[in-house]
Amino acid sequence: MHVELGASTAEFGGWDMPIKYPLGIMKEHLHCRAHAGLFDVSHMVPIKITGKDRAKFIEKVTIVDFQALPEGLGSLSMIPNESGGIIDDCIVTNAGDHIYMVINAGHEDKDIPHIEKYMAEFDGEVALEKVDCGLLALQGPDAAKVLAKFAGDEVTKMGFMTGKPVDVAGVPCFVTRSGYTGEDGYELGIPIDEVQTLAKKLLNEPEVEIIGLGARDSLRLEAGLCLYGNDIDDTTSPSEANLLWTLSKRRRAEAGFVGSERILGEIADKKLVKRKRVGFVGSGPPPRSHDKIYTPEGEEVGVVTSGVYGPSLKKPVGMAYVRKKYMKAGTKLQAEVRGKMRDIEIQKMPFIEPGYYRG
C-alpha cells in the first residue's frame, strides 16, 4: 500500500518505513498541523498484561502511578533498568481487565525479555501477551471530525490519553486519544487483516493525507517529545531527561521500582545530575544528532540529540543535553554544524502550542 501511494522508504527499527510521500515532508507536516494526517505506526509493539496482581507488577517494572489511573486512562511512562537508565518510554493504559501497553519499534527483543525476567521473579499472578494488531495514528485538528464519521460522536467526547474499544467502520478497534505530534488525534489498534481497508477509507476523506516518518519526526520535535535512541537511552535518567513529571509523589515516596536507587537519589541530591535535556532554536542549517555544542568562548558544554527544520516555526529546532549551568531558556550557545559554528538559543519546550483535547 505504501509503495502504491508513492512512499520513499528506509530502514527504521528493523522495519522498512515510509519516510515521505509525493507531497513531501514540509507539506505533510503543515497539512497535519492544519487538517489531519494518517500515520502507519504498525512498527510499534502493543502488549497486554493480565492477572489479578498486574497493578503491583507494572509499578515494579515501570515508574507509572497505575493506582492513579482510572479505567480507560493512560499515561506516558518509563521502563527503567537496574542502573536507573531508560530501557524504553511507553504508554500504559488501564484497560479494565488488563493493562494495554505500547512499546517502541525494534524494542520487542529488549523490553519483553526484561519484563519477563521480573515476571518470573514476581510473587503474584501476572502474564504478558503480544497483541497481534496493526496501528494507525490519525492526527491533527480535523482528526475528531473525521473519525466520528466512522465511529460516531462518542469518539469526539474522549479525553486526552483515554482509551477504549470502539467499532470504526464496523471494525472492532482499541482507540486511544493520543499521539506523538502535539496535535489532537487518535491511535487505533486494528485487526491485521482490516488495516489497509480502514486506512483507505480514512484516506478517502478530503481532510486526510498520508504522512511519513520524516514529518512525524519534525512534528514530534516541535512538540518537545523525545525519540528513543536519540533523546533518551539506557544511560539517561528521568531527571537528566527532564521527565520527572512522569513520576508521582506516591511513587517517589514508596519507591520499589527497578532503578529507584539512582532515580530517587538524583531527586534527593540534584548535584548528582550533571546534564539536562533542553530544547533549542537556531538559524541556518539545522544541527543534527551528535553535533557538539559550545559556549561563545569555545568551551564544549553539550551535544545535540535531535535537530530538524521546524516547518511550523520556519526555523531549526532541536534537543540537546547541556551542562546544567547552560540549561536556562534564553542562554545563547553555538552548535558545530558541518564544521561551522551556528548560533542557537535554549528555549522552553514544546515549541508549539499543543492541540490536545482536554474536554
Side-chain angles (χ1 to χ4, degrees):
M1 179 178 171
H2 295 294
V3 174
E4 292 174 8
L5 292 168
S8 301
T9 63
E11 191 278 333
F12 178 80
W15 291 71
D16 194 24
M17 294 294 297
I19 302 301
K20 63 177 181 177
Y21 296 88
L23 194 62
I25 292 174
M26 182 88 68
K27 289 182 179 178
E28 289 175 26
H29 175 115
L30 294 173
H31 185 90
C32 184
R33 288 270 184 255
H35 302 290
L38 186 69
F39 303 75
D40 183 354
V41 288
S42 297
H43 58 296
M44 307 292 281
V45 184
I47 60 176
K48 287 172 65 173
I49 296 180
T50 58
K52 66 180 180 66
D53 299 309
R54 61 189 178 278
K56 181 180 178 182
F57 177 75
I58 200 68
E59 290 195 349
K60 174 69 176 178
V61 294
T62 74
I63 62 174
V64 72
D65 189 347
F66 194 78
Q67 290 185 26
L69 291 179
E71 183 174 342
L73 187 63
S75 175
L76 176 69
S77 190
M78 310 290 135
I79 304 173
N81 58 30
E82 290 80 358
S83 59
I86 300 170
I87 288 180
D88 203 2
D89 57 332
C90 58
I91 300 293
V92 178
T93 300
N94 180 356
D97 63 353
H98 67 278
I99 295 169
Y100 180 75
M101 189 173 173
V102 179
I103 59 179
N104 277 308
H107 280 226
E108 184 176 346
D109 296 334
K110 178 184 180 184
D111 295 7
I112 293 178
H114 173 83
I115 293 170
E116 289 179 334
K117 170 193 168 185
Y118 283 95
M119 197 169 278
E121 300 170 358
F122 182 67
D123 183 19
E125 183 184 309
V126 67
L128 178 151
E129 64 179 272
K130 280 182 59 183
V131 179
D132 189 21
C133 71
L135 289 173
L136 296 177
L138 182 65
Q139 301 283 295
D142 289 339
K145 177 176 70 174
V146 170
L147 191 60
K149 294 179 183 180
F150 300 95
D153 287 342
E154 65 170 312
V155 294
T156 68
K157 300 180 180 72
M158 293 175 65
F160 180 55
M161 295 301 290
T162 61
K164 63 180 180 179
V166 177
D167 281 356
V168 182
V171 177
C173 302
F174 190 81
V175 176
T176 59
R177 196 161 195 171
S178 60
Y180 224 61
T181 63
E183 296 296 333
D184 186 20
Y186 303 83
E187 293 187 344
L188 288 69
I190 307 166
I192 292 290
D193 57 355
E194 298 283 359
V195 174
Q196 285 199 34
T197 300
L198 193 49
K200 288 176 180 177
K201 287 181 179 179
L202 292 168
L203 287 171
N204 279 335
E205 296 301 310
E207 301 91 345
V208 183
E209 287 284 354
I210 189 76
I211 311 292
L213 202 63
R216 188 169 187 259
D217 193 44
S218 56
L219 288 160
R220 68 93 190 168
L221 248 180
E222 288 186 347
L225 301 170
C226 294
L227 176 65
Y228 191 90
N230 283 47
D231 311 306
I232 50 176
D233 59 29
D234 292 301
T235 69
T236 316
S237 71
S239 182
E240 290 176 325
N242 272 322
L243 292 170
L244 285 176
W245 59 270
T246 63
L247 184 61
S248 71
K249 288 183 179 180
R250 181 184 69 82
R251 297 304 323 272
R252 297 181 192 198
E254 295 181 5
F257 52 86
V258 176
S260 59
E261 183 176 353
R262 175 190 175 188
I263 294 170
L264 297 179
E266 289 182 349
I267 294 173
D269 185 357
K270 292 180 172 57
K271 293 179 182 177
L272 294 173
V273 179
K274 307 299 182 184
R275 59 175 187 159
K276 283 282 190 176
R277 179 176 65 94
V278 295
F280 66 83
V281 296
S283 59
R288 303 291 187 180
S289 179
H290 305 301
D291 286 349
K292 294 178 180 178
I293 295 177
Y294 299 86
T295 65
E297 294 74 35
E299 181 185 5
E300 185 179 337
V301 294
V303 63
V304 175
T305 55
S306 289
V308 297
Y309 178 79
S312 306
L313 286 81
K314 298 181 180 179
K315 58 186 172 184
V317 298
M319 292 187 200
Y321 280 84
V322 297
R323 292 184 204 164
K324 284 198 299 183
K325 179 181 177 180
Y326 302 97
M327 66 179 283
K328 188 177 179 181
T331 301
K332 298 186 187 310
L333 298 168
Q334 293 183 322
E336 186 177 4
V337 184
R338 302 173 196 164
K340 293 184 178 181
M341 291 299 182
R342 302 286 183 178
D343 291 337
I344 62 171
E345 182 177 315
I346 304 303
Q347 186 168 309
K348 289 182 179 180
M349 296 182 284
F351 302 105
I352 51 101
E353 184 69 28
Y356 308 132
Y357 179 76
R358 302 291 184 179

